[in-house]
Amino acid sequence: MMTARRSGTAARIVHWCNHTDACVCNMPPELLDYSQNYTLHVRGETPHGHSRYNAIDFHPRSVELEPAPILYVDSTRGIVIVNISTRYTLSDDVLVMYVIVLQSNGSDVETFPRKYPKYVIPRSKLSPGATYCVRAQLFHIISGMHSPFSPARCFRYQPEGLPKNLRVEAINSRYLLKWDWDYVQYPNVTFSVEQCHLFNTEWKKIAACGNITVPLCDLSNEVYFYHTYSLRTSVYDSQRDEYNFSLVTFHPKTDAVMGPPTDITITIQDRDLHIVVSAPEGFNNENLFKVCNWTYHLEYWKNTTHPQVIPIERPDPIFAPKDLKASTTYCMKARTKCVDDEHRAGLYSGIHCVTTDPRSYVTWWIAGSVVIAVILIALVVYICFCPLKRYMKHIFFPSSKLPASIGKDMQDSPQKFGQITFALQEEEAFDRCYIIQEAQQEDLVQTDTSAARSKDSGHYSIEDEGREETDVCTG
């Protein structure tokens, strides 16, 4: 039987060590106050009675938690896996933290506090060809005590191999693992891709990328957005049975890039531009969209030899650049940027160019000039056409009427009348007429008056003319 008494308090029975036949009592650390001193009383009990209590003073902080943990390091497959072995089970891990210390041959020290006993050292912390040593210890969360360090485990890091230039192109929700290979020098090879992550340090083959011949593996449906992965591409040569591999680390949450906007719509109104940027496809990926607060970034410039780029950022995708010049070509491109991380931004869209309209007064001047020109042309046409119209009207539609006999003949047979008229004018013979000076002046005056009257009235005949001339001639 055991009782415990804290300084200044009454003794209490330790129930988990009461009436036990074992010689060991495990006291749960979470039930101890590590800032206090304890006195433990232990006595033995038999059917015939019990012995006297034996007392011992106890301070939790002065007691070592446990021996140093056992450390295992595996660096044979391109990644460094650290495994810590202790007496704690997974249900007890809430009580301790695992502290891993990585030290290079250049005396640089990296410390990694971890919650779980297995850990993959990030490749970004390792340099090819360097020698590293790893140690580990336990940290008790409640007591704040550390265990001794484990013995150091050293290794030489040699991850580089074939294929070369292993990389992940992660845009929006599509993740493509790519690498370079010289098919001219090594034509008969196959590739296999494996993955492992922090919570499962065992290599797992990706079924869709096993025994492939192309330098490409689609990981879009093979990885979880919030995990960090080590990806290994192995090369197999069927002729010489050679094997090699290369590694890359991929974390979709930090490595995925937002793609470019799907479109840019530009509307021109006078000199003003109204621009609407369409959201990238990555916005459909809820995980990527929630990584940070995204804003729209637009850059525009004059299409000249030495342009000055003007940036604009807005939380919404609608832009209206000001102070643009008329009849000028402007070019622009857009992307999205992360407000929370200035180093994270999406890809740029293609370049779009547009020419602004002329100034408004130029437009009015052109319109006014057209109107004035139309008026002048109409006036000239009117002035030139109306006198000509009157002239043609007097020729073909005279206002004076022809004599009734002529008009009647023309109506009866215009063609025959014309032939007769011209025949008379051409074939009719006249006698010569001589004017006698001694004729009486009165006859001449009458003749002239009669002829003038005939001309004025327009009514004359060949017979009249012949009679008058005869009178003149015979008089």
Side-chain angles (χ1 to χ4, degrees), residues 10-307:
R12 293 189 305 170
I13 296 176
V14 181
H15 296 285
W16 54 89
C17 295
N18 191 24
H19 302 295
T20 178
D21 56 359
C23 297
V24 177
C25 177
N26 292 323
M27 301 180 62
E30 63 270 19
L31 299 180
L32 300 176
D33 186 350
Y34 284 81
S35 63
Q36 299 293 329
N37 292 326
Y38 290 85
T39 300
L40 303 178
H41 299 269
V42 182
R43 73 179 181 181
E45 295 182 347
T46 66
H48 305 287
H50 54 78
S51 64
R52 295 176 56 187
Y53 279 107
N54 290 326
I56 182 174
D57 292 330
F58 163 65
H59 194 290
R61 286 185 176 274
S62 63
V63 178
E64 186 177 284
L65 257 160
E66 64 172 83
I70 300 174
L71 181 65
Y72 300 94
V73 178
D74 182 9
S75 61
T76 59
R77 300 299 303 274
I79 62 173
V80 181
I81 301 175
V82 177
N83 193 359
I84 303 172
S85 178
T86 66
R87 67 177 180 85
Y88 290 97
T89 63
L90 291 177
S91 60
D92 298 327
D93 283 341
V94 294
L95 303 177
V96 295
M97 291 287 292
Y98 301 89
V99 180
I100 300 172
V101 177
L102 176 69
Q103 186 173 7
S104 68
N105 50 8
S107 299
D108 294 331
V109 178
E110 291 278 353
T111 302
F112 307 98
R114 306 302 303 171
K115 184 178 179 181
Y116 300 98
K118 284 187 177 181
Y119 180 60
V120 178
I121 298 178
R123 295 182 70 243
S124 59
K125 304 295 182 181
L126 304 172
S127 299
T131 301
Y132 295 89
C133 293
V134 180
R135 297 181 300 160
Q137 70 173 173
L138 299 180
F139 172 72
H140 199 280
I141 298 174
I142 297 176
S143 66
M145 298 175 62
H146 291 83
S147 73
F149 275 104
S150 66
R153 297 288 185 265
C154 298
F155 62 93
R156 190 168 185 267
Y157 184 59
Q158 290 286 3
E160 294 300 325
L162 296 176
K164 295 293 185 181
N165 194 22
L166 191 65
R167 64 206 181 271
V168 178
E169 294 182 0
I171 301 176
N172 293 329
S173 302
R174 192 173 187 187
Y175 314 134
L176 299 178
L177 177 65
K178 296 183 178 181
W179 57 88
D180 298 336
W181 187 256
D182 187 357
Y183 285 95
V184 176
Q185 186 176 0
Y186 305 103
N188 300 319
V189 295
T190 58
F191 307 98
S192 292
V193 180
E194 299 170 280
Q195 67 170 3
C196 74
H197 57 82
L198 176 64
F199 302 102
N200 183 9
T201 56
E202 299 296 328
W203 287 106
K204 176 185 176 183
K205 289 188 177 181
I206 299 177
C209 301
N211 296 324
I212 58 177
T213 58
V214 294
L216 174 67
C217 175
D218 191 346
L219 305 173
S220 303
N221 299 321
E222 304 292 339
V223 297
Y224 180 59
F225 187 78
Y226 293 99
H227 282 179
T228 300
Y229 293 87
S230 291
L231 302 171
R232 180 172 65 189
T233 300
S234 303
V235 185
Y236 298 91
D237 189 333
S238 59
Q239 293 181 351
R240 292 181 295 275
D241 195 23
E242 293 182 355
Y243 165 82
N244 208 332
F245 63 87
S246 186
L247 294 168
V248 67
T249 301
F250 174 55
H251 185 19
K253 180 180 178 181
T254 57
D255 296 338
V257 178
M258 187 67 73
T262 55
D263 191 18
I264 297 180
T265 304
I266 305 173
T267 304
I268 306 175
Q269 185 176 0
D270 293 335
R271 287 181 298 158
D272 297 331
L273 296 181
H274 299 276
I275 305 168
V276 179
V277 180
S278 300
E281 293 182 1
F283 278 17
N284 297 326
N285 183 345
E286 185 177 359
N287 292 326
L288 183 59
F289 179 73
K290 291 181 178 180
V291 165
C292 61
N293 295 319
W294 297 97
T295 186
Y296 290 88
H297 177 86
L298 176 74
E299 295 181 0
Y300 71 97
W301 61 91
K302 292 182 184 178
N303 190 17
T304 58
T305 306
H306 302 287

Side-chain angles (χ1 to χ4, degrees), residues 3 30 46 71 104 123 223 310 312 319 346 401 408 427 434 436 441 464:
T3 61
E30 63 270 19
T46 66
L71 181 65
S104 68
R123 295 182 70 243
V223 297
I310 303 174
I312 305 177
F319 296 86
K401 294 183 179 180
K408 184 175 182 303
E427 297 176 4
Y434 297 93
I436 300 174
Q441 185 176 1
D464 295 336

